Amino acid sequence: MKKLIAGNWKMNGLASSLAEIVALKGLTGSTACDIVVCPPFTLIDRAVDQVEETNISIGAQDCHAKVSGAYTGDVSAEMLADAGARYVIVGHSERRLDHGEDDEIVAAKTAAVHQAGLIAIVCVGETQSERNEGRAIEVVGEQLRGSIPAGATASNTAIAYEPVWAIGTGLVPTLEQIAEVHLSIRRLLVDALGADGRTVRILYGGSVKASNAGEIFSVANVDGALVGGASLKATDFAGIISAAG
Ligand code: PEP
């Protein structure tokens, strides 16, 4: 399966940061992976201009579930498509925890992404206390079942397993823990989507960097990565991309 490597810039990036996308083009021209950069909304259309005719796509970090209306400050998936985005991250733990987004909201946003003809990267992951209680597989399964709407396919959806305790902390699960959760996600996807569930890409996210990416990519059912901090600098992000082959 072609790996998908997505960078989430979070609330970082000014016009000057577009130079990182320009540099990334020079560093990743020959990769076989699908590469996505998700800058803040304000940079999306300018970022799109930079990646024409390259293997890099531009994504967004969130969207509203509705197409339009009286939702001050929100951005719809249709607007993102209009700006040239191809992917949208939905259900990131920072949205789930800081903005109270539950599985129902995430499923509605994912459906909106599909409706707009874009690809959803749906995030799931357990907290530290849920892992300590031995509930990681159960929590991730429940989130996944609740967050994937009817109409999800391998072409319009990727899943990102992001243990909350590994995001931005430098902590990474063992390869065995990653393998166990990714296998459980694969089984659930096959149950829910049939044969298509075999080819939905399952990304790992949480403190991925160039030095640990190779071993993470060697784990069964790891089909790419969602990268936060290490996606901000082209050289760091390119190191992860080259580890994916
Ligand atoms: C993320 O925010 O999706 C993420 C994985 O962050 P980091 O790589 O910085 O842990």
Side-chain angles (χ1 to χ4, degrees):
M1 210 177 323
K2 200 173 182 185
K3 286 206 168 30
L4 171 61
I5 315 295
N8 172 14
W9 283 13
K10 311 194 185 193
M11 198 173 72
N12 297 292
L14 301 173
S16 56
S17 314
L18 294 168
E20 297 299 330
I21 295 177
V22 175
L24 191 65
K25 287 193 285 192
L27 293 168
T28 59
S30 59
T31 180
C33 305
D34 288 330
I35 303 168
V36 186
V37 176
C38 302
F41 291 137
T42 48
L43 291 178
I44 286 178
D45 59 352
R46 282 176 284 174
V48 167
D49 289 343
Q50 298 297 337
V51 299
E52 268 175 31
E53 317 222 333
T54 71
N55 53 354
I56 303 172
S57 300
I58 299 303
Q61 301 168 20
D62 180 42
C63 68
H64 196 276
K66 295 273 167 49
V67 173
S68 61
Y71 302 102
T72 302
D74 279 312
V75 173
S76 73
E78 187 183 59
M79 291 168 178
L80 296 170
D82 187 52
R86 292 200 48 222
Y87 290 77
V88 186
I89 298 169
V90 283
H92 190 281
S93 60
E94 287 153 17
R95 302 291 316 173
R96 289 180 184 264
L97 296 172
D98 301 345
H99 298 266
E101 295 188 6
D102 60 14
D103 294 339
E104 199 178 329
I105 292 173
V106 176
K109 290 185 173 197
T110 304
V113 172
H114 296 162
Q115 189 65 35
L118 303 179
I119 301 168
I121 301 176
V122 181
C123 303
V124 292
E126 82 285 359
T127 61
Q128 182 76 74
S129 58
E130 288 165 340
R131 174 155 289 276
N132 293 346
E133 289 159 14
R135 297 177 52 231
I137 301 280
E138 174 198 330
V139 167
V140 166
E142 195 180 323
Q143 284 180 346
L144 194 60
R145 273 188 292 271
S147 302
I148 303 279
T153 66
S155 319
N156 66 17
T157 305
I159 307 300
Y161 167 54
E162 298 208 305
V164 178
W165 52 274
I167 294 179
T169 59
L171 299 172
V172 180
T174 64
L175 300 184
E176 291 72 24
Q177 288 171 328
I178 296 174
E180 185 187 28
V181 178
H182 278 238
L183 177 60
S184 75
I185 292 173
R186 175 67 67 213
R187 287 187 172 142
L188 208 146
L189 288 169
V190 172
D191 272 357
L193 310 178
D196 228 33
R198 285 188 229 288
T199 53
V200 171
R201 289 183 286 190
I202 308 173
L203 318 183
Y204 168 76
S207 298
V208 177
K209 42 189 192 280
S211 58
N212 63 15
E215 58 179 20
I216 292 171
F217 292 143
S218 72
V219 174
N221 293 303
V222 173
D223 309 310
L226 180 55
V227 183
S231 70
L232 292 171
K233 290 272 164 259
T235 44
D236 295 341
F237 197 37
I240 294 169
I241 292 162
S242 71

